[in-house]
Amino acid sequence: MSDTQEQAQGVRAALVRGRTAVDTFTTKWLSQGNVTWSEETATDLLLMAVHPELSYVSFTRYEESRVGADWLWWFVDSASHEAFGVLVQAKNLKKKGQRWHIDYNYNNGNQLGSLIRASDLLQVPAVYALYCGDAVYRRELRCDQDHDAPPLLLWRP
């Protein structure tokens, strides 16, 4: 197995650890009668679980309000030292009555605007990390997308 393949397997294992940490947290939180969970706690657990395979820079609440992101993730190739950065804003999937909601328009859209401006300035893509709760929480969630259609691309280079 090449170094690149080993590194990719390490990153995958780290992401699985991160997802598992967040799933465990949301399952326990929701099982105690809560209707949602702390996005900040989920983010902290995710980032702690993926380290050291994935490097990150997390932002304080003040920095998040200015940058529009919760963290900057760096994927670094140990052999070539090439890096790929991603500016990440985390969001919770919330159920409101019979409808599902993700607050992309937070702070009247100012958060999204800040995220895009920071993405342009840092020359890295901006992405959303969605915390969707556990399988019980989202059991009624149905996909309304036509998967035979071309994918909808929201990121612009």
Side-chain angles (χ1 to χ4, degrees), residues 75-116:
F75 299 85
V76 182
D77 183 328
S78 59
S80 68
H81 300 290
E82 289 184 44
F84 175 77
V86 180
L87 202 54
V88 184
Q89 172 51 240
K91 293 288 181 191
N92 284 346
L93 175 67
K94 297 177 182 174
K95 188 171 184 183
K96 293 186 175 186
Q98 296 300 314
R99 299 190 54 92
W100 293 92
H101 176 73
I102 301 167
D103 192 5
Y104 295 115
N105 198 35
Y106 180 76
N107 195 16
N108 295 318
N110 291 326
Q111 184 181 62
L112 177 59
S114 295
L115 180 64
I116 296 299

Side-chain angles (χ1 to χ4, degrees), residues 30 49 57 83 105 130 143 156:
L30 292 168
V57 176
N105 198 35
L130 300 178
C143 182
R156 58 185 170 86

Side-chain angles (χ1 to χ4, degrees), residues 122-135:
L122 297 172
Q123 298 180 4
V124 297
V127 301
Y128 282 99
L130 300 178
Y131 301 129
C132 297
D134 63 7

Side-chain angles (χ1 to χ4, degrees), residues 7-113:
Q7 190 174 17
Q9 284 186 345
V11 168
R12 182 184 184 285
L15 291 170
V16 169
R17 278 195 321 268
R19 187 202 67 218
T20 301
V22 173
D23 284 353
T24 300
F25 163 66
T26 58
T27 296
K28 187 168 187 174
W29 194 256
L30 292 168
S31 74
Q32 295 175 1
N34 298 297
V35 295
T36 190
W37 54 91
S38 165
E39 180 186 294
E40 290 85 2
T41 301
T43 295
D44 290 342
L45 291 168
L46 172 70
L47 295 177
M48 285 188 300
V50 301
H51 186 78
E53 288 85 356
L54 278 82
S55 300
Y56 64 90
V57 176
S58 61
F59 300 115
T60 65
R61 286 184 183 189
Y62 173 74
E63 291 167 333
E64 179 185 359
S65 72
R66 297 183 50 95
V67 175
D70 289 294
W71 73 89
L72 176 61
W73 231 339
W74 286 108
F75 299 85
V76 182
D77 183 328
S78 59
S80 68
H81 300 290
E82 289 184 44
F84 175 77
V86 180
L87 202 54
V88 184
Q89 172 51 240
K91 293 288 181 191
N92 284 346
L93 175 67
K94 297 177 182 174
K95 188 171 184 183
K96 293 186 175 186
Q98 296 300 314
R99 299 190 54 92
W100 293 92
H101 176 73
I102 301 167
D103 192 5
Y104 295 115
N105 198 35
Y106 180 76
N107 195 16
N108 295 318
N110 291 326
Q111 184 181 62
L112 177 59

